[in-house]
């Protein structure tokens, strides 16, 4: 099931807006780009169902990677390595692995959520982080940024202008990744007029079994951790000075009872 048609809102930010604002994704041009003159435009990678923020609300989002290094070629090589893994090992078609040059020295890789059968969840960002950390460690990605998986994470908007370099954030084909950085920087000097993929490419996307199995395995641990977190005390435990008699007895045992005695702690 796709949640693309029901999770229609995102949070946006720019110098002109000064604070985060929730808008419909289709209103990006009028409510973000124009007021900001297309400079420093950010939109949350998370998508929301409601027009107003609610505490604990579910979010829907893709699996995404932010790869950034002082030497952009290091990040570019990591992206090549990453996209190979996603296509060859998880069997995800290239058109559902979108690659962007950020406009400075980094790259964003965004994988369509439907291929993993991702469903909305208030802590979905933690599940995405777990999956991405695993891949990063497996592939030994040198430029992977693990700090970007916050509750609300803004990514620079496609075709917007980086305020420092004056370059545009552009989408790259997988073939473009094999170009020299000078060529990619040259491409980013102008807004992207031709789309890499058709606008409706994600309309009929389906589940990819290998990707779904990977997602289920990775996120099961997050669910287990979340269940365990409910067992944590919600306030400081008061120090009464002495342990209860039963605990004091256990602590003073010289050896633990043998397993066949039926004792349980």
């Amino acid at each position: 099931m796709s949640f693309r048609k029901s999770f229609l809102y995102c949070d946006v930010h720019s110098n002109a807006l000064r604070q985060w604002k929730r808008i419909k994704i289709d209103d990006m041009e009028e409510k973000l780009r124009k007021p900001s003159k297309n400079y420093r435009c950010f939109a949350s990678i998370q998508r929301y169902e409601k027009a107003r923020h609610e505490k604990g609300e579910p979010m829907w989002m893709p699996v995404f990677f932010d790869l950034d290094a002082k030497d952009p070629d290091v990040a570019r090589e990591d992206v090549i390595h990453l996209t190979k893994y996603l296509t060859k090992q998880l069997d995800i078609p290239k058109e559902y692995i979108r690659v962007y040059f950020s406009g400075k020295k980094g790259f964003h890789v965004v994988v369509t959520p439907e291929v993993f059968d991702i469903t909305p969840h208030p802590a979905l960002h933690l599940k995405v982080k777990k999956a991405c950390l695993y891949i990063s460690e497996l592939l030994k990605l040198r430029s992977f940024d693990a700090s970007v998986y916050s509750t609300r994470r803004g990514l620079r908007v496609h075709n917007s202008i980086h305020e420092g370099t004056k370059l545009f954030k552009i989408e790259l084909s997988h073939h473009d990744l094999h170009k020299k950085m000078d060529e990619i920087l040259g491409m980013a000097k102008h807004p992207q007029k031709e789309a890499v993929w058709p606008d409706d490419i994600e309309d009929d996307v389906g589940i990819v079994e290998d990707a779904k199995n990977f997602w289920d395995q990775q996120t099961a641990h997050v669910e287990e951790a979340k269940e365990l977190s409910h067992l944590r005390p919600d306030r400081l435990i008061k120090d009464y000075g002495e342990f209860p008699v039963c605990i004091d007895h256990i602590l003073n045992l010289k050896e633990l009872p043998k397993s066949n005695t039926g004792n349980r702690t």
Side-chain angles (χ1 to χ4, degrees), residues 64-126:
F64 77 101
F65 299 80
D66 184 6
L67 300 152
D68 200 341
K70 288 182 179 179
D71 180 356
D73 266 322
V74 171
R76 181 182 62 83
E77 289 168 7
D78 274 354
V79 175
I80 292 172
H81 199 22
L82 172 60
T83 53
K84 240 179 227 184
Y85 172 82
L86 294 170
T87 54
K88 301 297 184 185
Q89 298 301 315
L90 298 188
D91 202 29
I92 302 172
K94 288 182 179 180
E95 58 267 32
Y96 303 134
I97 306 167
R98 313 293 288 270
V99 180
Y100 302 86
F101 171 60
S102 71
K104 190 175 183 182
K105 53 186 176 62
F107 296 82
H108 300 148
V109 177
V110 181
V111 190
T112 305
E114 287 94 337
V115 302
F116 295 99
D117 193 26
I118 292 177
T119 56
H121 192 281
L124 183 54
H125 59 296
L126 298 180

Side-chain angles (χ1 to χ4, degrees), residues 32-264:
L32 178 63
R33 289 186 189 273
K34 284 188 178 179
S36 309
K37 297 182 180 179
N38 206 30
Y39 274 85
R40 205 177 181 277
C41 298
F42 292 89
S44 63
I45 192 75
Q46 291 89 355
R47 301 292 180 254
Y48 306 97
E49 194 171 22
K50 303 286 181 67
R52 298 176 70 88
H53 169 77
E54 293 180 3
K55 186 177 180 180
E57 65 185 333
M59 62 179 77
W60 189 61
M61 62 188 290
V63 168
F64 77 101
F65 299 80
D66 184 6
L67 300 152
D68 200 341
K70 288 182 179 179
D71 180 356
D73 266 322
V74 171
R76 181 182 62 83
E77 289 168 7
D78 274 354
V79 175
I80 292 172
H81 199 22
L82 172 60
T83 53
K84 240 179 227 184
Y85 172 82
L86 294 170
T87 54
K88 301 297 184 185
Q89 298 301 315
L90 298 188
D91 202 29
I92 302 172
K94 288 182 179 180
E95 58 267 32
Y96 303 134
I97 306 167
R98 313 293 288 270
V99 180
Y100 302 86
F101 171 60
S102 71
K104 190 175 183 182
K105 53 186 176 62
F107 296 82
H108 300 148
V109 177
V110 181
V111 190
T112 305
E114 287 94 337
V115 302
F116 295 99
D117 193 26
I118 292 177
T119 56
H121 192 281
L124 183 54
H125 59 296
L126 298 180
K127 296 184 178 187
V128 172
K129 180 176 184 177
K130 172 69 170 59
C132 293
L133 278 171
Y134 174 85
I135 293 174
S136 172
E137 291 172 4
L138 178 70
L139 303 182
K140 296 180 171 57
L141 300 178
R142 295 169 291 169
S143 59
F144 175 71
D145 185 352
S147 69
V148 300
Y149 300 97
S150 49
T151 308
R152 175 173 56 200
R153 171 54 55 172
L155 290 190
R156 199 175 296 276
V157 174
H158 175 232
N159 255 348
S160 65
I161 304 168
H162 191 286
E163 65 282 3
T165 64
K166 304 300 186 289
L167 296 177
F168 289 83
K169 177 177 177 177
I170 58 171
E171 185 169 8
L172 301 172
S173 69
H174 289 225
H175 175 74
D176 289 332
L177 289 170
H178 296 277
K179 293 179 178 179
K180 293 181 179 179
M181 272 310 305
D182 285 346
E183 291 183 73
I184 293 174
L185 291 169
M187 292 166 62
K189 288 181 179 178
H190 310 283
Q192 198 163 28
K193 293 182 180 179
E194 293 185 11
V196 173
W197 302 103
D199 290 340
D200 60 354
I201 192 71
E202 294 173 330
D203 286 356
D204 298 317
V205 58
I207 297 169
V208 175
E209 285 305 318
D210 286 347
K212 174 178 166 50
N213 291 338
F214 166 82
W215 175 259
D216 289 345
Q217 289 168 7
Q218 292 300 314
T219 58
H221 300 299
V222 177
E223 289 294 345
E224 289 168 10
K226 191 167 180 60
E227 287 300 317
L228 288 173
S229 71
H230 293 309
L231 301 177
R232 291 181 302 185
D234 56 5
R235 60 180 64 87
L236 288 174
I237 298 173
K238 187 175 180 180
D239 183 3
Y240 289 98
E242 296 180 357
F243 289 112
V245 174
C246 56
I247 301 297
D248 191 57
H249 171 71
I250 292 171
L251 292 174
N252 286 298
L253 285 173
K254 291 185 178 178
E255 62 178 82
L256 292 174
K258 294 180 181 178
S259 60
N260 61 4
T261 62
N263 294 74
R264 298 291 184 271

